[in-house]
Amino acid sequence: MKQLSGLDASFLNMETPNTFGHVTGLMLFDRPSPDFAPYAAVYEKYSSLIGALEPMRRRLVEVPFGLDHPYWVFDPHFDIDYHIREISIAKPGLVDQLAEQICRIVGRPMDRSRPLWEVYVIDGLANGWWGLLTKFHHATIDGAAGQLMLESVLSTERDDSPPPASPKWEPEPVPSQTEMLRLTLEKLAKHPLMAVKAQSRMLRTMAKMLGIADVSGATSLARDTVYRILGRPTTERPWVMMPLTSAPPTPWNKSITPHRRFAMRTTSLENIKRLKNATGGTVNDIVMAICAGGLRQYLLAHNALPDKPLRAMVPVSIRTGDESDPWTNRVSGLVAELPTNCDDPLERVALCRKAMGVAKKQFELMPAESLIDIAQSSPPVVSAAAARLTSRLKLADRIGMPANLVISNVPGPREPLYFAGAQLQHQFPVSIVTDGQGLNITVTSYMDRLDFGFIVDRDLVPDVWDLADMHIEEITRLLQASDTEAAESPRAAPRRGPMQKVLEAKRASGKGKAKKAPAKKKPAARKKPAVKKKAAVKKKAPAKKKTPTKKSKSS
């Protein structure tokens, strides 16, 4: 039995009836042969990993009254059939139909009485491909741990050997609530001291950031550290951008519902690299500039563009590679400005580069370990109650958020990956939205492509596909502004579109054919006299009977 860290538990405590703590990823594969059975291959592979990967077999045990963070135990009632599921997309199986099914899956909370993961094999796609949707709770793994797990699932070899049998593992009995309460009370005796230590470290760090002498009198050391980071003279006080004020409001910075919309788009990674070389930035600078331009166009279209730049929360992994436990969260974040108020595409790239530089320096000044300490010491019952109260009172509609949205750029492998001989074609991330931040953009690179995943609240951003297209259009805008030749023209997968519009189009085409309908009915009207003629023939039968009667008279 192992206890969750404070950061792990925070992803449980954040959950409300409208906010979920699971992260999802969609992988699209080709079909190596006509008789390939995706569900059987996935079932066989994941069955072999249960004993090898700890997060796949452990379930939660809650502490009574939320007095402490929960614990993990190896599920004594583990059921592999519950976790591996299959669905098929209705014809024609286009990309937006796939996205609608994903929305329904991510819009459901996970059962905490079972290991917190599910995988869905999705068939019926129009181009013959098939999908694998993985759904893991963020309390179980973070993005970096997810990549480690992905390496266990995929292979760099097309002709990989069949998966071996799962290593044996021992289930653990689920402790009773009485046992959990006794264990918690023993630990709580030490908890106040842990909280005081964490808060002291946090206050000292804040004092150093603001250049205020702390109780240890280490002001000069703090200043020298700041000056070295910023490269400024020691006589100059450092300036650090802190999100002390609320971000400007947008249509998606409100309370959310439990319903989601999802859109996915892909572009050539070579285009991004050429823009990077033309502007002197980094790939991440270009991604941030694409998001700034796409969001600007969307807000202009809705007459909702603020005068001030938006703010983006950018997740940052703080893994060192020396962690004793890889299956826990080691993630923090920084806040960077998005120059949506700038109308020049190239200037937006320069401003994004500058904003990311300032945000990284700010991140270095605030040690991530301090934030993790605070999460570790935060009482779970208070955190969970605060999240529920915020959702119930819809405080996000009245209180401004420090950031407008989350933007994450996850670098992926450059070589092709395979699953049971099927080549991975795309890897679309499906992340989390929360109250006050009803939009999340996550980007993943794979081979020569960049895959965008847009997850939004269904009511706050109903036209998410338009938003996604505007981001791809921004790439073209940047290529033209920088006079850079495109390596590949941005392309979009065909969509069926909203069913209401599909039916309207059918009705419109039906009205055009209705004019010819009378001409088709005329032959049918002519057939009716033919039926009457047959009846006339039947009337002649009695006439034939009269003929023999006349003959009898003549005789």
Side-chain angles (χ1 to χ4, degrees), residues 2-22:
K2 181 173 65 176
Q3 191 173 28
L4 279 70
S5 70
L7 191 57
D8 293 340
S10 67
F11 290 104
L12 295 172
N13 298 332
M14 68 173 279
E15 288 197 315
T16 69
N18 297 335
T19 301
F20 312 116
H22 49 256

Side-chain angles (χ1 to χ4, degrees), residues 505-517:
K506 283 186 176 181
R507 293 190 193 102
S509 61
K511 287 179 181 179
K513 295 177 181 179
K515 295 178 180 180
K516 298 180 181 179

Side-chain angles (χ1 to χ4, degrees), residues 310-375:
L310 301 188
R311 289 193 197 136
M313 171 66 74
V314 182
V316 177
S317 175
I318 57 172
R319 288 182 180 270
T320 62
D322 299 326
E323 287 80 12
S324 58
D325 182 8
W327 309 118
T328 188
N329 278 272
R330 300 288 296 174
V331 64
S332 185
L334 53 84
V335 177
E337 285 193 344
L338 278 179
T340 49
N341 56 333
C342 176
D343 62 356
D344 184 84
L346 295 183
E347 188 177 350
R348 284 197 293 269
V349 176
L351 291 173
C352 283
R353 181 167 62 249
K354 180 180 178 181
M356 286 301 296
V358 171
K360 288 176 182 176
K361 290 171 183 175
Q362 171 193 337
F363 179 76
E364 292 169 357
L365 287 170
M366 174 62 75
E369 293 295 338
S370 297
L371 300 178
I372 293 177
D373 287 342
I374 292 297

Side-chain angles (χ1 to χ4, degrees), residues 12-16 66 378-390:
L12 295 172
N13 298 332
M14 68 173 279
E15 288 197 315
T16 69
S378 177
V381 65
V382 175
S383 302
R388 289 193 295 268
L389 186 64
T390 300

